[in-house]
Amino acid sequence: MPRRTAIEPPLVLGIESSCDDTACALVDGHGRVLTSVISSQLEAHRRYGGVVPEIASREHLRNWPAVRREAFERLGIEMSDVDVVAATSGPGLVGSLLVGLSVGRAVAYGLDLPFQAVHHLEGHLYSPFLDPQGSPAESIPARFIGLVVSGGHTNLFAVDEGRVTTLAETRDDAIGEAFDKIGKRIGLPYPQGPRVDELAEGGDATSYPLPVPRSGEELFFSYSGLKTQTLVTLEAICREHDLALPLDEPLPQPLIDLLAAFRVATVAQLVDRVGRLHEEQPIELLAVSGGVAANRLLRRELERWAEASGVALRLVPLAYSGDNAAMIAFAALLRQRRGERDDPLRVEAASRVPLEGASSD
Ligand code: KG4
Ligand code: ZN
């Protein structure tokens, strides 16, 4: 751990509680992640197969004191050492957001510190530039394309000197949601996405070729049709092999093959859209983030595509792909450098809020 003397101001406290992870991080003025603590609520939600909003907010309240203590004790610092306070204000579950946001607002107001209300996707968007070993963050290029793939979002953004424009988004399900729903139908424990990915490594994707929907003139994503087609194929396999869902692991090989086919189709859609965008307006640098950016096939395929297309690629470090507070603190640092600032007495939590226009006062 870096010693106190090595910390470059401003020291930014990041708080993230938009869904089911309670997270606290400290990032310094070089964009170095000094500490990042995440308390997941897996056990609390597992018996329901997904996140239960009421349970999530109560767990955030319960977990926050220990998460905060661990972050500060690891670094041997006090709250009075913090220079800037940042918390996620949306989008997410309002009851969950309110916990972290209220803490952040109170600390900033009480200690008279600058406050940054950070959009959750802005956090993901810049996370590929963080260093997982605690070295300074890479400097952010003036222009880049961001692909954010998570449980709630599938978005392509153009970033130009801090200004963000949405180029494509999903018309229905988010990619992570599709992974979770397929896994849940089979009977896999929550969170299903990472397990589907793991199982798919041992499957033959050619057994059940699934279609990749092309988007027309307009660039968009769509995962609902693929999800339905996969579920229909799943039922057919179950009938053919006399299987009753939900199943316990180990899964029979035909289901593993189906998961592999599903994963190939999800990733192919991403590569298709990124490729089409590159044809229209050449991409110099593609930064990929969000929980689904941990997907093994996605990482391999995008690496292959980027190399073949001469595009610089930044895949988020695995430590920062899922929800975390380091990305929130880092996005806040970038806002702070641009001279932006929010009023802790006025910001509100919002379950849905576009990234464009989520600017400060
Ligand atoms: O970014 P994140 O932690 O939370 C949101 O902002 O949504 O993303 C969580 C999503 C879940 O849907 C989870 O199943 C999915 O990311 N996920 C994965 C993998 N790891 C996490 N999906 C596919 N493959 C993975 N390896
Ligand atoms: Zn997220």
Side-chain angles (χ1 to χ4, degrees), residues 163-213:
R163 268 191 323 278
V164 180
T165 313
T166 303
L167 300 175
E169 58 193 335
T170 179
R171 290 226 167 132
D172 38 62
D173 291 357
I175 183 169
E177 197 182 343
F179 268 93
D180 293 336
K181 284 186 178 157
I182 299 295
K184 189 174 177 182
R185 182 73 190 102
I186 288 177
L188 301 178
Y190 160 82
Q192 293 85 0
R195 188 68 191 132
V196 169
D197 181 26
E198 239 176 326
L199 289 166
E201 288 286 294
D204 173 7
T206 58
S207 305
Y208 303 101
L210 294 165
V212 179

mmCIF file of all heavy atoms in Angstrom, residues 163-213:
data_model
loop_
_atom_site.group_PDB
_atom_site.id
_atom_site.type_symbol
_atom_site.label_atom_id
_atom_site.label_comp_id
_atom_site.label_asym_id
_atom_site.label_seq_id
_atom_site.Cartn_x
_atom_site.Cartn_y
_atom_site.Cartn_z
ATOM 1 N N ARG A 163 -17.292 15.204 -23.313
ATOM 2 C CA ARG A 163 -18.705 15.221 -23.731
ATOM 3 C C ARG A 163 -19.076 13.845 -24.264
ATOM 4 O O ARG A 163 -18.357 13.278 -25.083
ATOM 5 C CB ARG A 163 -18.936 16.262 -24.835
ATOM 6 C CG ARG A 163 -19.343 17.636 -24.326
ATOM 7 C CD ARG A 163 -19.818 18.517 -25.485
ATOM 8 N NE ARG A 163 -19.057 18.300 -26.717
ATOM 9 C CZ ARG A 163 -17.880 18.852 -26.963
ATOM 10 N NH1 ARG A 163 -17.311 19.639 -26.072
ATOM 11 N NH2 ARG A 163 -17.265 18.615 -28.107
ATOM 12 N N VAL A 164 -20.220 13.339 -23.806
ATOM 13 C CA VAL A 164 -20.592 11.967 -24.145
ATOM 14 C C VAL A 164 -21.832 11.955 -25.028
ATOM 15 O O VAL A 164 -22.814 12.625 -24.747
ATOM 16 C CB VAL A 164 -20.879 11.165 -22.854
ATOM 17 C CG1 VAL A 164 -21.268 9.743 -23.190
ATOM 18 C CG2 VAL A 164 -19.669 11.182 -21.927
ATOM 19 N N THR A 165 -21.775 11.193 -26.128
ATOM 20 C CA THR A 165 -22.940 11.026 -27.008
ATOM 21 C C THR A 165 -23.238 9.535 -27.129
ATOM 22 O O THR A 165 -22.331 8.739 -27.338
ATOM 23 C CB THR A 165 -22.611 11.555 -28.432
ATOM 24 O OG1 THR A 165 -21.988 12.827 -28.303
ATOM 25 C CG2 THR A 165 -23.855 11.673 -29.282
ATOM 26 N N THR A 166 -24.518 9.177 -27.003
ATOM 27 C CA THR A 166 -24.905 7.772 -27.178
ATOM 28 C C THR A 166 -24.988 7.466 -28.669
ATOM 29 O O THR A 166 -25.691 8.148 -29.406
ATOM 30 C CB THR A 166 -26.280 7.503 -26.526
ATOM 31 O OG1 THR A 166 -26.199 7.865 -25.141
ATOM 32 C CG2 THR A 166 -26.669 6.040 -26.647
ATOM 33 N N LEU A 167 -24.273 6.411 -29.104
ATOM 34 C CA LEU A 167 -24.318 6.021 -30.518
ATOM 35 C C LEU A 167 -25.255 4.851 -30.742
ATOM 36 O O LEU A 167 -25.849 4.712 -31.801
ATOM 37 C CB LEU A 167 -22.908 5.631 -30.997
ATOM 38 C CG LEU A 167 -21.842 6.709 -30.900
ATOM 39 C CD1 LEU A 167 -20.486 6.142 -31.292
ATOM 40 C CD2 LEU A 167 -22.206 7.896 -31.788
ATOM 41 N N ALA A 168 -25.375 3.995 -29.728
ATOM 42 C CA ALA A 168 -26.265 2.822 -29.845
ATOM 43 C C ALA A 168 -26.613 2.347 -28.452
ATOM 44 O O ALA A 168 -25.808 2.455 -27.528
ATOM 45 C CB ALA A 168 -25.574 1.711 -30.631
ATOM 46 N N GLU A 169 -27.832 1.834 -28.315
ATOM 47 C CA GLU A 169 -28.224 1.231 -27.034
ATOM 48 C C GLU A 169 -29.149 0.061 -27.307
ATOM 49 O O GLU A 169 -29.576 -0.136 -28.443
ATOM 50 C CB GLU A 169 -28.854 2.258 -26.101
ATOM 51 C CG GLU A 169 -30.063 2.953 -26.662
ATOM 52 C CD GLU A 169 -30.451 4.173 -25.834
ATOM 53 O OE1 GLU A 169 -30.127 4.227 -24.648
ATOM 54 O OE2 GLU A 169 -31.104 5.069 -26.402
ATOM 55 N N THR A 170 -29.487 -0.698 -26.271
ATOM 56 C CA THR A 170 -30.351 -1.847 -26.512
ATOM 57 C C THR A 170 -31.805 -1.402 -26.596
ATOM 58 O O THR A 170 -32.243 -0.512 -25.867
ATOM 59 C CB THR A 170 -30.159 -2.943 -25.447
ATOM 60 O OG1 THR A 170 -31.061 -4.023 -25.757
ATOM 61 C CG2 THR A 170 -30.442 -2.452 -24.043
ATOM 62 N N ARG A 171 -32.530 -2.063 -27.498
ATOM 63 C CA ARG A 171 -33.963 -1.750 -27.657
ATOM 64 C C ARG A 171 -34.797 -2.554 -26.673
ATOM 65 O O ARG A 171 -35.967 -2.311 -26.514
ATOM 66 C CB ARG A 171 -34.395 -2.129 -29.075
ATOM 67 C CG ARG A 171 -33.802 -1.211 -30.100
ATOM 68 C CD ARG A 171 -34.892 -0.796 -31.077
ATOM 69 N NE ARG A 171 -34.429 0.314 -31.883
ATOM 70 C CZ ARG A 171 -34.548 0.372 -33.192
ATOM 71 N NH1 ARG A 171 -35.114 -0.620 -33.836
ATOM 72 N NH2 ARG A 171 -34.132 1.433 -33.851
ATOM 73 N N ASP A 172 -34.191 -3.587 -26.073
ATOM 74 C CA ASP A 172 -34.961 -4.419 -25.140
ATOM 75 C C ASP A 172 -34.069 -4.838 -23.976
ATOM 76 O O ASP A 172 -33.747 -4.012 -23.135
ATOM 77 C CB ASP A 172 -35.586 -5.621 -25.883
ATOM 78 C CG ASP A 172 -34.655 -6.185 -26.955
ATOM 79 O OD1 ASP A 172 -33.561 -6.641 -26.582
ATOM 80 O OD2 ASP A 172 -35.013 -6.167 -28.154
ATOM 81 N N ASP A 173 -33.671 -6.106 -23.931
ATOM 82 C CA ASP A 173 -32.862 -6.581 -22.802
ATOM 83 C C ASP A 173 -31.413 -6.106 -22.903
ATOM 84 O O ASP A 173 -30.880 -5.948 -24.000
ATOM 85 C CB ASP A 173 -32.827 -8.117 -22.774
ATOM 86 C CG ASP A 173 -34.173 -8.704 -22.413
ATOM 87 O OD1 ASP A 173 -35.099 -7.928 -22.127
ATOM 88 O OD2 ASP A 173 -34.292 -9.939 -22.416
ATOM 89 N N ALA A 174 -30.780 -5.933 -21.743
ATOM 90 C CA ALA A 174 -29.332 -5.697 -21.728
ATOM 91 C C ALA A 174 -28.641 -7.051 -21.863
ATOM 92 O O ALA A 174 -29.224 -8.089 -21.529
ATOM 93 C CB ALA A 174 -28.932 -5.036 -20.421
ATOM 94 N N ILE A 175 -27.406 -7.035 -22.326
ATOM 95 C CA ILE A 175 -26.693 -8.290 -22.578
ATOM 96 C C ILE A 175 -26.541 -9.123 -21.290
ATOM 97 O O ILE A 175 -26.762 -10.338 -21.295
ATOM 98 C CB ILE A 175 -25.332 -8.021 -23.280
ATOM 99 C CG1 ILE A 175 -24.617 -9.331 -23.612
ATOM 100 C CG2 ILE A 175 -24.445 -7.096 -22.468
ATOM 101 C CD1 ILE A 175 -23.425 -9.156 -24.518
ATOM 102 N N GLY A 176 -26.213 -8.467 -20.174
ATOM 103 C CA GLY A 176 -26.017 -9.204 -18.913
ATOM 104 C C GLY A 176 -27.318 -9.824 -18.417
ATOM 105 O O GLY A 176 -27.343 -10.921 -17.863
ATOM 106 N N GLU A 177 -28.410 -9.090 -18.653
ATOM 107 C CA GLU A 177 -29.739 -9.568 -18.273
ATOM 108 C C GLU A 177 -30.057 -10.863 -19.036
ATOM 109 O O GLU A 177 -30.613 -11.811 -18.468
ATOM 110 C CB GLU A 177 -30.712 -8.460 -18.690
ATOM 111 C CG GLU A 177 -32.061 -8.475 -18.095
ATOM 112 C CD GLU A 177 -32.885 -7.309 -18.685
ATOM 113 O OE1 GLU A 177 -32.311 -6.349 -19.268
ATOM 114 O OE2 GLU A 177 -34.115 -7.381 -18.559
ATOM 115 N N ALA A 178 -29.708 -10.900 -20.322
ATOM 116 C CA ALA A 178 -29.950 -12.102 -21.136
ATOM 117 C C ALA A 178 -29.150 -13.272 -20.572
ATOM 118 O O ALA A 178 -29.681 -14.385 -20.412
ATOM 119 C CB ALA A 178 -29.582 -11.827 -22.594
ATOM 120 N N PHE A 179 -27.882 -13.041 -20.235
ATOM 121 C CA PHE A 179 -27.053 -14.100 -19.631
ATOM 122 C C PHE A 179 -27.705 -14.612 -18.346
ATOM 123 O O PHE A 179 -27.803 -15.809 -18.106
ATOM 124 C CB PHE A 179 -25.653 -13.561 -19.301
ATOM 125 C CG PHE A 179 -24.652 -13.754 -20.399
ATOM 126 C CD1 PHE A 179 -24.433 -12.768 -21.348
ATOM 127 C CD2 PHE A 179 -23.909 -14.929 -20.473
ATOM 128 C CE1 PHE A 179 -23.502 -12.948 -22.367
ATOM 129 C CE2 PHE A 179 -22.971 -15.119 -21.486
ATOM 130 C CZ PHE A 179 -22.778 -14.115 -22.441
ATOM 131 N N ASP A 180 -28.160 -13.657 -17.512
ATOM 132 C CA ASP A 180 -28.725 -14.047 -16.211
ATOM 133 C C ASP A 180 -30.021 -14.838 -16.375
ATOM 134 O O ASP A 180 -30.259 -15.814 -15.667
ATOM 135 C CB ASP A 180 -28.976 -12.795 -15.356
ATOM 136 C CG ASP A 180 -27.679 -12.112 -14.946
ATOM 137 O OD1 ASP A 180 -26.637 -12.793 -14.917
ATOM 138 O OD2 ASP A 180 -27.697 -10.907 -14.657
ATOM 139 N N LYS A 181 -30.873 -14.405 -17.330
ATOM 140 C CA LYS A 181 -32.173 -15.071 -17.483
ATOM 141 C C LYS A 181 -32.024 -16.484 -18.031
ATOM 142 O O LYS A 181 -32.723 -17.403 -17.591
ATOM 143 C CB LYS A 181 -33.086 -14.232 -18.368
ATOM 144 C CG LYS A 181 -33.621 -13.028 -17.593
ATOM 145 C CD LYS A 181 -34.643 -12.250 -18.367
ATOM 146 C CE LYS A 181 -35.182 -11.096 -17.520
ATOM 147 N NZ LYS A 181 -35.737 -10.026 -18.342
ATOM 148 N N ILE A 182 -31.131 -16.668 -18.980
ATOM 149 C CA ILE A 182 -30.907 -18.018 -19.528
ATOM 150 C C ILE A 182 -30.383 -18.924 -18.410
ATOM 151 O O ILE A 182 -30.857 -20.046 -18.214
ATOM 152 C CB ILE A 182 -29.884 -17.982 -20.705
ATOM 153 C CG1 ILE A 182 -30.407 -17.112 -21.853
ATOM 154 C CG2 ILE A 182 -29.510 -19.388 -21.166
ATOM 155 C CD1 ILE A 182 -31.640 -17.625 -22.544
ATOM 156 N N GLY A 183 -29.403 -18.409 -17.669
ATOM 157 C CA GLY A 183 -28.818 -19.203 -16.572
ATOM 158 C C GLY A 183 -29.849 -19.526 -15.506
ATOM 159 O O GLY A 183 -29.889 -20.649 -14.984
ATOM 160 N N LYS A 184 -30.705 -18.558 -15.205
ATOM 161 C CA LYS A 184 -31.713 -18.764 -14.165
ATOM 162 C C LYS A 184 -32.716 -19.834 -14.586
ATOM 163 O O LYS A 184 -33.111 -20.686 -13.786
ATOM 164 C CB LYS A 184 -32.434 -17.434 -13.897
ATOM 165 C CG LYS A 184 -33.357 -17.487 -12.693
ATOM 166 C CD LYS A 184 -33.937 -16.131 -12.373
ATOM 167 C CE LYS A 184 -34.908 -16.252 -11.205
ATOM 168 N NZ LYS A 184 -35.546 -14.997 -10.852
ATOM 169 N N ARG A 185 -33.111 -19.808 -15.866
ATOM 170 C CA ARG A 185 -34.085 -20.805 -16.360
ATOM 171 C C ARG A 185 -33.505 -22.216 -16.238
ATOM 172 O O ARG A 185 -34.214 -23.172 -15.922
ATOM 173 C CB ARG A 185 -34.434 -20.487 -17.828
ATOM 174 C CG ARG A 185 -35.450 -21.415 -18.441
ATOM 175 C CD ARG A 185 -36.849 -21.142 -17.905
ATOM 176 N NE ARG A 185 -37.803 -22.175 -18.319
ATOM 177 C CZ ARG A 185 -38.229 -23.168 -17.538
ATOM 178 N NH1 ARG A 185 -37.784 -23.290 -16.304
ATOM 179 N NH2 ARG A 185 -39.083 -24.050 -17.996
ATOM 180 N N ILE A 186 -32.217 -22.329 -16.466
ATOM 181 C CA ILE A 186 -31.588 -23.658 -16.370
ATOM 182 C C ILE A 186 -31.505 -24.099 -14.906
ATOM 183 O O ILE A 186 -31.587 -25.287 -14.609
ATOM 184 C CB ILE A 186 -30.192 -23.643 -17.046
ATOM 185 C CG1 ILE A 186 -30.377 -23.558 -18.566
ATOM 186 C CG2 ILE A 186 -29.365 -24.863 -16.666
ATOM 187 C CD1 ILE A 186 -29.107 -23.459 -19.358
ATOM 188 N N GLY A 187 -31.370 -23.114 -14.009
ATOM 189 C CA GLY A 187 -31.295 -23.450 -12.587
ATOM 190 C C GLY A 187 -29.970 -23.075 -11.950
ATOM 191 O O GLY A 187 -29.670 -23.475 -10.822
ATOM 192 N N LEU A 188 -29.163 -22.270 -12.674
ATOM 193 C CA LEU A 188 -27.858 -21.860 -12.127
ATOM 194 C C LEU A 188 -28.070 -20.814 -11.041
ATOM 195 O O LEU A 188 -29.008 -20.015 -11.111
ATOM 196 C CB LEU A 188 -26.967 -21.276 -13.229
ATOM 197 C CG LEU A 188 -26.670 -22.199 -14.410
ATOM 198 C CD1 LEU A 188 -25.825 -21.481 -15.451
ATOM 199 C CD2 LEU A 188 -25.923 -23.452 -13.910
ATOM 200 N N PRO A 189 -27.200 -20.793 -10.028
ATOM 201 C CA PRO A 189 -27.360 -19.808 -8.953
ATOM 202 C C PRO A 189 -26.987 -18.393 -9.413
ATOM 203 O O PRO A 189 -26.147 -18.223 -10.297
ATOM 204 C CB PRO A 189 -26.399 -20.297 -7.872
ATOM 205 C CG PRO A 189 -25.381 -21.116 -8.592
ATOM 206 C CD PRO A 189 -26.053 -21.689 -9.803
ATOM 207 N N TYR A 190 -27.596 -17.409 -8.782
ATOM 208 C CA TYR A 190 -27.297 -15.996 -9.044
ATOM 209 C C TYR A 190 -25.891 -15.663 -8.541
ATOM 210 O O TYR A 190 -25.530 -16.146 -7.472
ATOM 211 C CB TYR A 190 -28.345 -15.151 -8.328
ATOM 212 C CG TYR A 190 -27.949 -13.724 -8.099
ATOM 213 C CD1 TYR A 190 -28.087 -12.789 -9.105
ATOM 214 C CD2 TYR A 190 -27.409 -13.327 -6.877
ATOM 215 C CE1 TYR A 190 -27.709 -11.488 -8.897
ATOM 216 C CE2 TYR A 190 -27.028 -12.024 -6.671
ATOM 217 C CZ TYR A 190 -27.182 -11.115 -7.682
ATOM 218 O OH TYR A 190 -26.794 -9.825 -7.474
ATOM 219 N N PRO A 191 -25.065 -14.849 -9.207
ATOM 220 C CA PRO A 191 -25.312 -14.249 -10.513
ATOM 221 C C PRO A 191 -24.962 -15.231 -11.627
ATOM 222 O O PRO A 191 -23.852 -15.790 -11.649
ATOM 223 C CB PRO A 191 -24.356 -13.050 -10.522
ATOM 224 C CG PRO A 191 -23.219 -13.470 -9.644
ATOM 225 C CD PRO A 191 -23.756 -14.471 -8.659
ATOM 226 N N GLN A 192 -25.871 -15.425 -12.559
ATOM 227 C CA GLN A 192 -25.714 -16.512 -13.530
ATOM 228 C C GLN A 192 -24.694 -16.208 -14.630
ATOM 229 O O GLN A 192 -24.068 -17.127 -15.171
ATOM 230 C CB GLN A 192 -27.086 -16.800 -14.161
ATOM 231 C CG GLN A 192 -28.098 -17.376 -13.184
ATOM 232 C CD GLN A 192 -28.862 -16.313 -12.373
ATOM 233 O OE1 GLN A 192 -28.653 -15.116 -12.530
ATOM 234 N NE2 GLN A 192 -29.760 -16.755 -11.508
ATOM 235 N N GLY A 193 -24.532 -14.909 -14.991
ATOM 236 C CA GLY A 193 -23.653 -14.547 -16.116
ATOM 237 C C GLY A 193 -22.270 -15.177 -16.065
ATOM 238 O O GLY A 193 -21.845 -15.840 -17.023
ATOM 239 N N PRO A 194 -21.531 -14.992 -14.954
ATOM 240 C CA PRO A 194 -20.172 -15.549 -14.912
ATOM 241 C C PRO A 194 -20.160 -17.073 -15.028
ATOM 242 O O PRO A 194 -19.261 -17.654 -15.641
ATOM 243 C CB PRO A 194 -19.649 -15.129 -13.532
ATOM 244 C CG PRO A 194 -20.542 -14.022 -13.081
ATOM 245 C CD PRO A 194 -21.853 -14.180 -13.781
ATOM 246 N N ARG A 195 -21.176 -17.733 -14.476
ATOM 247 C CA ARG A 195 -21.230 -19.209 -14.534
ATOM 248 C C ARG A 195 -21.552 -19.683 -15.954
ATOM 249 O O ARG A 195 -20.976 -20.658 -16.432
ATOM 250 C CB ARG A 195 -22.290 -19.713 -13.530
ATOM 251 C CG ARG A 195 -22.295 -21.206 -13.357
ATOM 252 C CD ARG A 195 -21.023 -21.715 -12.672
ATOM 253 N NE ARG A 195 -20.938 -23.170 -12.747
ATOM 254 C CZ ARG A 195 -19.849 -23.832 -13.128
ATOM 255 N NH1 ARG A 195 -18.748 -23.180 -13.459
ATOM 256 N NH2 ARG A 195 -19.851 -25.144 -13.150
ATOM 257 N N VAL A 196 -22.461 -18.971 -16.635
ATOM 258 C CA VAL A 196 -22.773 -19.328 -18.028
ATOM 259 C C VAL A 196 -21.489 -19.224 -18.857
ATOM 260 O O VAL A 196 -21.179 -20.104 -19.669
ATOM 261 C CB VAL A 196 -23.870 -18.393 -18.615
ATOM 262 C CG1 VAL A 196 -24.000 -18.569 -20.126
ATOM 263 C CG2 VAL A 196 -25.214 -18.654 -17.931
ATOM 264 N N ASP A 197 -20.729 -18.161 -18.626
ATOM 265 C CA ASP A 197 -19.470 -17.945 -19.346
ATOM 266 C C ASP A 197 -18.499 -19.109 -19.095
ATOM 267 O O ASP A 197 -17.925 -19.670 -20.036
ATOM 268 C CB ASP A 197 -18.870 -16.610 -18.870
ATOM 269 C CG ASP A 197 -17.577 -16.251 -19.563
ATOM 270 O OD1 ASP A 197 -17.362 -16.710 -20.695
ATOM 271 O OD2 ASP A 197 -16.780 -15.501 -18.964
ATOM 272 N N GLU A 198 -18.371 -19.475 -17.831
ATOM 273 C CA GLU A 198 -17.463 -20.570 -17.448
ATOM 274 C C GLU A 198 -17.875 -21.886 -18.113
ATOM 275 O O GLU A 198 -17.050 -22.587 -18.692
ATOM 276 C CB GLU A 198 -17.560 -20.753 -15.937
ATOM 277 C CG GLU A 198 -16.264 -20.590 -15.197
ATOM 278 C CD GLU A 198 -16.514 -20.692 -13.693
ATOM 279 O OE1 GLU A 198 -17.590 -20.246 -13.212
ATOM 280 O OE2 GLU A 198 -15.633 -21.229 -13.015
ATOM 281 N N LEU A 199 -19.176 -22.198 -18.016
ATOM 282 C CA LEU A 199 -19.673 -23.449 -18.594
ATOM 283 C C LEU A 199 -19.510 -23.453 -20.110
ATOM 284 O O LEU A 199 -19.162 -24.477 -20.704
ATOM 285 C CB LEU A 199 -21.155 -23.644 -18.232
ATOM 286 C CG LEU A 199 -21.439 -23.988 -16.764
ATOM 287 C CD1 LEU A 199 -22.921 -23.814 -16.448
ATOM 288 C CD2 LEU A 199 -20.991 -25.424 -16.457
ATOM 289 N N ALA A 200 -19.751 -22.293 -20.730
ATOM 290 C CA ALA A 200 -19.682 -22.197 -22.191
ATOM 291 C C ALA A 200 -18.286 -22.524 -22.724
ATOM 292 O O ALA A 200 -18.136 -22.961 -23.869
ATOM 293 C CB ALA A 200 -20.100 -20.801 -22.643
ATOM 294 N N GLU A 201 -17.269 -22.343 -21.881
ATOM 295 C CA GLU A 201 -15.892 -22.674 -22.305
ATOM 296 C C GLU A 201 -15.780 -24.144 -22.702
ATOM 297 O O GLU A 201 -14.958 -24.512 -23.525
ATOM 298 C CB GLU A 201 -14.893 -22.386 -21.167
ATOM 299 C CG GLU A 201 -14.660 -20.919 -20.898
ATOM 300 C CD GLU A 201 -13.806 -20.250 -21.963
ATOM 301 O OE1 GLU A 201 -12.629 -20.597 -22.084
ATOM 302 O OE2 GLU A 201 -14.335 -19.382 -22.683
ATOM 303 N N GLY A 202 -16.629 -25.001 -22.104
ATOM 304 C CA GLY A 202 -16.547 -26.441 -22.394
ATOM 305 C C GLY A 202 -17.592 -26.916 -23.382
ATOM 306 O O GLY A 202 -17.851 -28.108 -23.490
ATOM 307 N N GLY A 203 -18.234 -25.978 -24.113
ATOM 308 C CA GLY A 203 -19.295 -26.365 -25.036
ATOM 309 C C GLY A 203 -18.900 -26.225 -26.492
ATOM 310 O O GLY A 203 -17.950 -25.528 -26.824
ATOM 311 N N ASP A 204 -19.673 -26.911 -27.356
ATOM 312 C CA ASP A 204 -19.461 -26.816 -28.797
ATOM 313 C C ASP A 204 -20.556 -25.905 -29.364
ATOM 314 O O ASP A 204 -21.711 -26.327 -29.514
ATOM 315 C CB ASP A 204 -19.543 -28.221 -29.414
ATOM 316 C CG ASP A 204 -19.492 -28.185 -30.928
ATOM 317 O OD1 ASP A 204 -19.256 -27.087 -31.496
ATOM 318 O OD2 ASP A 204 -19.699 -29.248 -31.549
ATOM 319 N N ALA A 205 -20.179 -24.679 -29.688
ATOM 320 C CA ALA A 205 -21.165 -23.672 -30.110
ATOM 321 C C ALA A 205 -21.805 -24.006 -31.449
ATOM 322 O O ALA A 205 -22.875 -23.494 -31.770
ATOM 323 C CB ALA A 205 -20.501 -22.299 -30.173
ATOM 324 N N THR A 206 -21.171 -24.885 -32.240
ATOM 325 C CA THR A 206 -21.718 -25.170 -33.576
ATOM 326 C C THR A 206 -22.928 -26.111 -33.509
ATOM 327 O O THR A 206 -23.640 -26.279 -34.493
ATOM 328 C CB THR A 206 -20.648 -25.810 -34.496
ATOM 329 O OG1 THR A 206 -20.190 -27.011 -33.854
ATOM 330 C CG2 THR A 206 -19.479 -24.877 -34.723
ATOM 331 N N SER A 207 -23.169 -26.718 -32.345
ATOM 332 C CA SER A 207 -24.287 -27.662 -32.230
ATOM 333 C C SER A 207 -25.635 -26.980 -32.408
ATOM 334 O O SER A 207 -26.582 -27.579 -32.887
ATOM 335 C CB SER A 207 -24.268 -28.338 -30.862
ATOM 336 O OG SER A 207 -23.029 -28.936 -30.633
ATOM 337 N N TYR A 208 -25.736 -25.746 -31.949
ATOM 338 C CA TYR A 208 -27.018 -25.023 -32.022
ATOM 339 C C TYR A 208 -26.781 -23.608 -32.527
ATOM 340 O O TYR A 208 -26.735 -22.662 -31.743
ATOM 341 C CB TYR A 208 -27.686 -24.949 -30.642
ATOM 342 C CG TYR A 208 -27.909 -26.297 -30.013
ATOM 343 C CD1 TYR A 208 -27.051 -26.767 -29.023
ATOM 344 C CD2 TYR A 208 -28.970 -27.095 -30.413
ATOM 345 C CE1 TYR A 208 -27.242 -28.018 -28.444
ATOM 346 C CE2 TYR A 208 -29.170 -28.342 -29.847
ATOM 347 C CZ TYR A 208 -28.307 -28.793 -28.867
ATOM 348 O OH TYR A 208 -28.499 -30.020 -28.312
ATOM 349 N N PRO A 209 -26.592 -23.439 -33.827
ATOM 350 C CA PRO A 209 -26.322 -22.071 -34.316
ATOM 351 C C PRO A 209 -27.525 -21.160 -34.072
ATOM 352 O O PRO A 209 -28.643 -21.503 -34.429
ATOM 353 C CB PRO A 209 -26.066 -22.270 -35.815
ATOM 354 C CG PRO A 209 -26.584 -23.621 -36.143
ATOM 355 C CD PRO A 209 -26.654 -24.433 -34.894
ATOM 356 N N LEU A 210 -27.278 -20.047 -33.414
ATOM 357 C CA LEU A 210 -28.342 -19.085 -33.113
ATOM 358 C C LEU A 210 -28.102 -17.825 -33.950
ATOM 359 O O LEU A 210 -26.952 -17.479 -34.231
ATOM 360 C CB LEU A 210 -28.322 -18.735 -31.619
ATOM 361 C CG LEU A 210 -28.683 -19.898 -30.689
ATOM 362 C CD1 LEU A 210 -28.290 -19.586 -29.251
ATOM 363 C CD2 LEU A 210 -30.171 -20.225 -30.774
ATOM 364 N N PRO A 211 -29.169 -17.150 -34.359
ATOM 365 C CA PRO A 211 -28.998 -15.997 -35.256
ATOM 366 C C PRO A 211 -28.421 -14.771 -34.557
ATOM 367 O O PRO A 211 -28.615 -14.600 -33.352
ATOM 368 C CB PRO A 211 -30.432 -15.709 -35.714
ATOM 369 C CG PRO A 211 -31.280 -16.209 -34.592
ATOM 370 C CD PRO A 211 -30.565 -17.368 -33.981
ATOM 371 N N VAL A 212 -27.723 -13.966 -35.333
ATOM 372 C CA VAL A 212 -27.227 -12.679 -34.823
ATOM 373 C C VAL A 212 -28.050 -11.601 -35.506
ATOM 374 O O VAL A 212 -27.904 -11.371 -36.702
ATOM 375 C CB VAL A 212 -25.727 -12.481 -35.175
ATOM 376 C CG1 VAL A 212 -25.237 -11.126 -34.666
ATOM 377 C CG2 VAL A 212 -24.905 -13.607 -34.619
ATOM 378 N N PRO A 213 -28.974 -10.937 -34.781
ATOM 379 C CA PRO A 213 -29.785 -9.917 -35.450
ATOM 380 C C PRO A 213 -28.929 -8.736 -35.896
ATOM 381 O O PRO A 213 -28.131 -8.231 -35.121
ATOM 382 C CB PRO A 213 -30.790 -9.501 -34.377
ATOM 383 C CG PRO A 213 -30.201 -9.935 -33.085
ATOM 384 C CD PRO A 213 -29.256 -11.054 -33.360
#
